[in-house]
Amino acid sequence: MSALLLAIMWTALTVYALLGGADFGAGIWDLLAGGSRRGARARSLIEHSIGPVWEANHVWLIFVLVLMWTAFPPLFAAISSTLYLPLTFVALGVIARGATFAFRKAVDELWQRRLFGATFAFSSLVTPFFLGTIAGAVASGRVPPGLARGSAISSWLNPTSLITGGFAVLACAFLAAAYLCADARRTGERALAGYFRRRCMATGVLTGAWSLLGLLVLHADASALYDRITGRALPLVLVAGLAGFATVALAARSHLAAQRVTAAIAVAAVLWAWGSAQYPYLLLPGLTVSAAAAPAATLSVTAYCVLGGSVVLLPSLGWLLVLFQRGAAVPTIDGPTAQN
């Protein structure tokens, strides 16, 4: 039962990376879109694409956290007590990002719109970075079991965490570009499709290069993880690399629907490579899945609740995505609203 719940939790984390990650990436492209006039069309597409789903995407992160503290309380206790600083930065980033995304549409003054737009975009950059540092801290064994056993600073401020934080930012931008160029073509915005297609190729190449650099950093800073990544998890690493290469190739040939799939496979394969490399340990050294699991009765009730809730949640989210994937023109931003 503990292995089943861990698989469910990791699947939810993967979905959050693919949906919430692209959501963060869209904010990064909002930041890099340029001035209010030059970037108005790109920002219109970004708002049109993420507006209906940006709150729903965070359901997956909430689900992961609830499942973690219910099914694996020692894991949650160790992470939350050691990594409370980056977790706080993530929470502040999510709150600031969501609030300013909504507020910038409700104000009339140009300086207010620019302030809210800049905060939304900057939070979209900072939040995935700190999520990445948390992943790097756990993966490199800097979060020992127990309450506040690890350093509050060096646990997440180290070479592995920094390289992982950078990878998270690039992966989010890569996913968003892959999704947005397909959205642009579906809504008839061919110029924007080319705009985001070029950015998808560029970030794909940059993410691949960053990943190779990350392997060198792991070899020097987290040798145990490196050995497992290049050992048992190597097939998934190769899948990630091939899917990333295929995404760039498909983007170059303007196969935009297919590139969405391969981009998602590339990012998902990285997450599952990490999970495969670390299993059966949740925290290094020594905290295994069975040792961290809650009592059997708790696991059973949690599993039944998860399966029962999925019957309602998954069709609802699926229908939401289907509704907003249907072709529709991107609203034109004119006048004051264009001044993001």
Side-chain angles (χ1 to χ4, degrees):
M1 190 65 73
S2 61
L4 171 63
L5 288 173
L6 178 63
I8 293 173
M9 187 174 74
W10 207 256
T11 300
L13 183 63
T14 304
V15 176
Y16 181 65
L18 297 181
L19 298 180
D23 193 9
F24 288 127
I28 294 171
W29 291 121
D30 187 294
L31 177 67
L32 301 176
S36 57
R37 292 186 180 276
R38 183 164 59 91
R41 202 64 192 165
R43 291 190 177 101
S44 295
L45 176 67
I46 289 169
E47 289 193 2
H48 179 71
S49 295
I50 73 173
V53 295
W54 66 275
E55 290 178 295
N57 287 336
H58 290 296
V59 167
W60 298 103
L61 179 60
I62 296 168
F63 175 75
V64 168
L65 292 175
V66 171
L67 195 56
M68 186 190 301
W69 80 52
T70 305
F72 306 101
L75 173 65
F76 180 83
I79 290 176
S80 60
S81 61
T82 295
L83 299 175
Y84 61 88
L85 285 176
L87 285 169
T88 300
F89 297 148
V90 168
L92 292 175
V94 169
I95 293 168
R97 183 179 184 274
T100 53
F101 181 69
F103 288 163
R104 74 173 179 177
K105 302 176 187 178
V107 296
D108 297 323
E109 295 292 333
L110 177 58
W111 70 269
Q112 292 176 324
R113 287 191 295 272
R114 286 178 171 170
L115 175 62
F116 288 138
T119 305
F120 161 70
F122 182 70
S123 297
S124 300
L125 177 68
V126 169
T127 307
F129 173 78
F130 283 111
L131 284 170
T133 63
I134 293 169
V138 174
S140 60
R142 289 182 166 92
V143 184
L147 287 175
R149 296 287 182 85
S151 169
I153 302 297
S154 63
S155 59
W156 61 275
L157 201 57
N158 57 74
T160 298
S161 290
L162 294 177
I163 203 76
T164 308
F167 175 82
V169 171
L170 289 172
C172 289
F174 172 62
L175 279 174
Y179 294 174
L180 285 168
C181 58
D183 278 357
R185 172 171 288 184
R186 190 183 66 255
T187 54
E189 293 281 344
R190 294 191 174 274
L192 278 180
Y195 173 89
F196 283 111
R197 182 175 62 85
R198 292 188 294 273
R199 279 149 183 78
C200 176
M201 291 188 289
T203 51
V205 172
L206 186 57
T207 304
W210 192 268
S211 301
L212 294 176
L213 176 62
L215 288 176
L216 296 177
V217 171
L218 286 181
H219 184 270
D221 187 59
S223 58
L225 177 63
Y226 174 83
D227 292 340
R228 289 171 174 261
I229 285 285
T230 56
R232 69 163 71 171
L234 184 59
L236 286 168
V237 173
L238 294 177
V239 168
L242 291 173
F245 177 81
T247 303
V248 174
L250 289 168
R253 293 179 172 270
S254 295
H255 296 305
L256 304 185
Q259 77 169 28
R260 275 184 149 184
V261 177
T262 54
I265 291 173
V267 174
V270 171
L271 270 176
W272 284 86
W274 169 28
S276 175
Q278 191 152 328
Y279 188 82
Y281 296 100
L282 294 178
L283 292 175
L284 299 171
L287 185 64
T288 62
V289 175
S290 58
T298 302
L299 295 179
S300 297
V301 172
T302 302
Y304 291 135
C305 289
V306 167
L307 295 176
S310 299
V311 174
V312 177
L313 176 66
L314 295 181
S316 301
L317 288 176
W319 182 236
L320 176 68
L321 293 174
V322 167
L323 286 176
F324 288 99
Q325 285 296 303
R326 293 176 177 175
V330 178
T332 303
I333 293 183
D334 297 314
T337 311
Q339 310 298 324
N340 294 28

